Amino acid sequence: MKTLTIITGASKGLGFELARQSLKAGDTVVTMERRPSKALVEEADKIGCNFIQFTADLLDRKGAVELLMWLLSDKEYAEHDRLILINNAGVLGPVGPIENASPQAAVDCIRVNFEIPVLLTQAFLNETRDWKGERRVMNISSGAGRRSVPGWAMYCSTKAALDRFTAVTAEDQQGKPNPARLSAVAPGVVNTDMQGSIRASSKEDFPNVDRFIDLEKDGKLQSTEDTAKRLLNYLNSDEFGKEPISDIRNISVGD
């Protein structure tokens, strides 16, 4: 099955591993990130598969959306059997009471965590509405969007908004001639650079910081490799999209 997989924020961490494993699976992979990854280029060359890497600042919403629309206007991609969009890019945003945050930090968090995934999903669904291929959108969410975490007002709220957007859009797809499947998936606590930023927070700004320090100390953080494998197994399974708001830790597909 010929698959086109588009991933945001793939230069490092979970996004990098999602891209690397998609390349190994033989997908045509397109990534959008601020900093190009030489390692992904080398991986694609070694495997001999199609890989396109775009340098895109996701704070530039117009540029990011126009880039995706330009990509999908290429009829060559319409020949793929499966079309996948993974909105992975995200930021922790300002940590601490919101009154201590700068307005720009709050706006940037809204843009990267919510506005850009919304606009890219909208463009993806619109540009591919007449394509024959199967379409799937995985929005990387967080358990923090499903409960209150002191000090994370912006992160929690933007991920909660992404969850609800995904659920409503999934429902709107029902009854269409070629409905897309969507799911906002919480990946669990993964050992990424964001975790390092969390552990560096002061207790005054983030009262739960000790818990995350202990998770790292006790070796309880999930690896990016294993998490990406589980996410892709779910994405490629018949179960994907049955629950528009999901948690990979509660799903057993191809483990």
Side-chain angles (χ1 to χ4, degrees):
M1 186 175 289
K2 195 175 180 183
T3 301
L4 169 64
T5 299
I6 303 166
I7 307 171
T8 65
S11 62
K12 58 184 179 180
L14 182 58
F16 174 88
E17 197 57 42
L18 287 166
R20 190 184 72 83
Q21 293 188 28
S22 294
L23 285 168
K24 290 186 70 175
D27 296 1
T28 296
V29 176
V30 177
T31 63
M32 299 169 62
E33 58 268 320
R34 284 180 298 172
R35 299 179 184 86
S37 170
K38 183 180 178 181
L40 284 178
V41 174
E42 292 173 349
E43 187 77 24
D45 287 345
K46 182 170 63 177
I47 297 170
C49 57
N50 295 327
F51 175 54
I52 303 172
Q53 187 170 220
F54 290 113
T55 302
D57 184 355
L58 295 183
L59 289 173
D60 176 13
R61 62 183 176 187
K62 186 173 185 291
V65 172
E66 288 182 351
L67 180 58
L68 180 64
M69 292 174 67
W70 173 80
L71 173 74
L72 295 175
S73 68
D74 190 332
K75 299 305 179 185
E76 175 187 348
Y77 295 118
E79 299 175 359
H80 286 75
D81 302 302
R82 299 173 74 238
L83 314 167
I84 291 171
L85 172 64
I86 303 177
N87 283 307
N88 165 75
V91 295
L92 183 60
V95 176
I98 193 61
E99 63 267 27
N100 296 338
S102 72
Q104 191 60 54
V107 168
D108 288 351
C109 187
I110 293 169
R111 177 154 295 176
V112 176
N113 288 359
F114 181 62
E115 185 178 359
I116 290 299
V118 166
L119 295 177
L120 292 180
T121 299
Q122 187 275 334
F124 178 84
L125 295 176
N126 183 52
E127 292 296 317
T128 63
R129 68 170 72 201
D130 296 325
W131 290 21
K132 304 302 181 184
E134 181 184 359
R135 301 175 298 157
R136 300 189 178 197
V137 178
M138 175 185 282
N139 289 323
I140 301 299
S141 185
S142 171
R146 299 159 199 181
R147 66 181 185 279
S148 297
V149 181
W152 284 4
M154 295 310 304
Y155 188 69
C156 290
S157 59
T158 52
K159 291 299 186 179
L162 184 62
D163 282 351
R164 191 50 50 198
F165 165 77
T166 305
V168 174
T169 304
E171 190 168 341
D172 288 343
Q173 283 293 304
Q174 300 308 308
K176 292 184 180 296
N178 181 24
R181 297 190 189 190
L182 297 93
S183 188
V185 189
V189 187
V190 189
N191 192 10
T192 63
D193 287 353
M194 184 182 288
Q195 284 297 313
S197 298
I198 291 169
R199 294 192 298 272
S201 303
S202 70
K203 196 153 189 175
E204 181 181 7
D205 285 336
F206 183 44
N208 293 346
V209 65
D210 287 345
R211 171 177 173 263
F212 286 85
I213 291 173
D214 289 342
L215 285 172
E216 194 271 340
K217 187 188 304 180
D218 297 338
K220 293 183 178 179
L221 295 177
Q222 300 165 204
S223 71
T224 55
E225 182 176 3
D226 181 62
T227 304
K229 178 181 178 181
R230 297 187 68 192
L231 287 169
L232 292 173
N233 282 344
Y234 174 48
L235 176 61
N236 293 319
S237 75
D238 291 337
E239 296 301 308
F240 183 78
K242 290 183 179 179
E243 294 293 337
I245 301 175
S246 54
D247 190 319
I248 199 64
R249 292 167 292 187
N250 301 328
I251 300 169
S252 296
V253 179
D255 289 343

